[in-house]
Amino acid sequence: MKIYTRTGDDGSTSLFSGDRVPKSHLRVEAYGTVDELNSVLGVARSARPTAPVETLLASLQSELFQLGADLATPGESRHVTRIDENQIAALEAEIDRMDTKLPTLKNFILPGGTPAAAHLHVARTICRRAERQTVLLAAHDAVNAHAVTYLNRLSDFLFTLARYENLLAGVPEPLWRSGR
């Protein structure tokens, strides 16, 4: 099978439903940003995070493929497994578990620390963009409501995971200090 099909040379792409839309379509922007997020998580993994963080990232990358398929599939489909409240609850439980081990936040955290933690902070910002794009899409077209909530929670998870990675690696969190 060839990697190129030439079907997108006219600036369009196929959704999982088979419908063709412009590559600039809000739906393509939303799932494309989720794909970008997944790629940045791969970069974070290549930075050799601690074993517990590596395990969480491996699982999360698979879940992001599910989210991408969810966003790429308008309407009903028996071929796509939608993001659901159980996955949101799992993120919340993991945030709560990590948070019990982390020092209480008394300052803003600057992105940084270990290379893996720094990449997780970049992932968090991409996740926020994916969330904004999904909210925009939802204002114009049908979207699984759990997808927006999932992305919101995922950005919190990635922030907490970056802090947790620094803790496990024994690297102090870079704190923001006011210029005053």
Side-chain angles (χ1 to χ4, degrees):
M1 180 171 125
K2 290 186 179 186
I3 192 68
Y4 59 89
T5 63
R6 297 187 175 133
T7 58
D9 291 353
D10 65 353
S12 68
T13 191
S14 288
L15 301 176
F16 280 175
S17 64
D19 295 337
R20 293 200 65 80
V21 296
K23 290 182 179 183
S24 60
H25 192 280
L26 292 174
R27 187 170 297 282
V28 178
E29 285 294 328
Y31 73 72
T33 304
V34 169
D35 186 38
E36 180 184 353
L37 170 58
N38 206 341
S39 294
V40 170
L41 292 181
V43 173
R45 290 180 71 192
S46 74
R48 302 198 184 274
T50 57
V53 172
E54 164 63 26
T55 299
L56 290 168
L57 288 174
S59 174
L60 184 57
Q61 281 192 290
S62 292
E63 203 162 79
L64 285 176
F65 262 94
Q66 179 186 355
L67 176 61
D70 188 339
L71 291 171
T73 309
E76 295 298 315
S77 174
R78 57 182 164 76
H79 302 291
V80 174
T81 304
R82 303 287 182 184
I83 291 293
D84 63 29
E85 62 276 353
N86 294 326
Q87 290 158 300
I88 296 164
L91 287 175
E92 291 171 348
E94 196 57 42
I95 291 168
D96 292 345
R97 185 192 67 75
M98 290 185 289
D99 203 42
T100 64
K101 298 174 182 351
L102 292 167
T104 303
L105 277 176
K106 296 179 182 171
N107 297 80
F108 286 108
I109 304 295
L110 295 173
T114 69
H119 289 302
L120 289 170
H121 280 291
V122 173
R124 172 186 53 80
T125 66
I126 294 169
C127 185
R128 285 290 186 202
R129 180 163 30 95
E131 178 186 8
R132 291 189 303 271
Q133 290 172 332
T134 303
V135 167
L136 182 59
L137 171 62
H140 294 89
D141 203 352
V143 172
N144 173 6
H146 295 302
V148 173
T149 305
Y150 178 86
L151 285 164
N152 188 324
R153 209 65 76 247
L154 180 58
S155 63
D156 296 334
F157 173 84
L158 292 168
F159 175 78
T160 306
L161 190 61
R163 294 189 68 213
Y164 190 60
E165 169 62 19
N166 282 331
L167 175 79
L168 293 178
V171 174
E173 293 181 300
L175 301 178
W176 177 73
R177 306 253 187 244
S178 172
R180 294 185 244 162

